Amino acid sequence: MNYLPIFLDLRDRHCLVVGGSETAARKAELLLRAGARVDVAAPALHEAWERLPGTDRVSRVADSFSVSLLDGKDAVIVVEDDMALATLISDAARARHLPINVADKPALCSYILPSIIDRSPIMVAVSSGGEAPVLARMLRARLETMIPAAYGRLGALASRFKERVRGTVKPAQRRAFWEKVFLSPVAEMVFSGREAEAEKQLEAMIANAATHDISRGEVYLVGAGPGNPDLLTFRALRLMQQADVIVHDRLVSQPILDMCRRDAERIYVGKERDDHAVPQEEINMLLVRLAKAGKRTLRLKGGDPFIFGRGGEEIETLVEHGVSFQVVPGITAAAGVASYAGIPLTHRDYAQSVAFVTGHLKDNTFNMNWDGIARHDQTIVIYMGLKGLPLLCEALVKHGLDSTTPAAIIQQGTLPTQRVVTGTLSTLPGLAATAGLKAPTLIIVGNVVKLREKLGWYQPEQHQEQAQRSPLEAPDHLR
């Protein structure tokens, strides 16, 4: 190691900043956030200094540096272009064994300021020792996705109960106890804003410290979005990496499954038209059984669980059996696929409303409110309509839309394998058949489709690497 990572306690300690620029203000802000008092030596201060938190702890003590300003200081930061002056300050600080950082001059530093993920009281620092700061910032960005802001609240909860745990749990068992707490529903209660519940659960665990019985299971109903891993929410990613069991659908893409906890059990319950791998009622009861066995169960669904995902049916069963659960929304196919196809679902010149419908055939017919759907000022988004596409287009024309109404069908939207076919209600079925499209697809009907040629931005051939690895993909040791 070129540097020893340490955390300095600067609360109510005195620090010196040499320089009054905006960059110097940003450095001073870090000291202020750590509770320090800051003396500044600079001929003038940039207006950014006025916006700093804790300006009552900032004092401009001199127009320029003098060695006497180092007296009584605990740390020094220098933002100075003049190499000779920066070297003089560095030498003087080192002679007094004071930690000194000189911006953009690593050779003059005895410490460096890392990229910080602040989840107080949890702090994570990333540094390249000044050799590759851009890479350090990229690593920090990746860690930001894996460490939600609520970890600070979880750390604060642990701090409040630390003494009680010390008085109840034997020293040899404390580490195992806290590991179980942080992997238990207590953590998820904090993350979802149920802190009062979390405190009660933690109190029960402390009272039952002899056995640490925290085997209460829970179901996470999570929307995996339209397929592209980059469109997952941070919350979905966190739950994916901590679940004991993954119950997933056919529409959940492999790159997303690869981001789940590696040692979790995987159960496939996917359904296709006329081929239901597991009946819905059995899926509902499977979730109940797994949760009651103490498993943290991730029900991973393509798109959003509450938009044609039968999520409501599943949680109804969970409620009936007293199983704890939470729901994490996902980007539904209509929003995600339309965006990647360059087709806005609404536009003040073309469509003032959107209708989401399913294209499932029953006895070769559709049971739909055609009068409410077939409107000229409305965009119609049809899920699962590939098989019935000719009948759908025919019915829309029959119920009032012009046969020249623009329409599009998108295969595997948002993925590097995305294909888009556009036409009209009269031509789209033939064009889709010629293209040999296969499910999953999404159909969009309405004048907004005219905008695709102008607004289409996603070029799948330029995103092939995305099929191999997502920027959000977790390292192996975090799975």
Side-chain angles (χ1 to χ4, degrees), residues 57 100 168 191 230 242 245 277 301 307:
R57 288 183 279 119
I100 180 164
T168 304
F191 295 153
D230 291 351
Q242 72 180 42
V245 183
K301 291 175 168 287
I307 299 181

Side-chain angles (χ1 to χ4, degrees), residues 40 79 102 115 162 174 203 256 258 261 356 362 372 384 414 452:
V40 188
V79 182
V102 183
S115 292
K162 182 171 61 176
R174 286 176 195 157
E203 287 173 352
I256 289 177
D258 289 343
R261 178 176 155 190
F356 295 168
K362 185 175 183 180
M384 300 166 283
T414 77
R452 166 170 163 73

Side-chain angles (χ1 to χ4, degrees), residues 168-170 173 176-177 180-181 204-215:
T168 304
V169 183
K170 295 177 181 179
Q173 297 178 334
F177 175 81
K180 289 187 177 182
V181 168
M205 290 171 65
I206 294 172
N208 197 28
T211 59
H212 309 317
D213 183 10
I214 55 171
S215 60

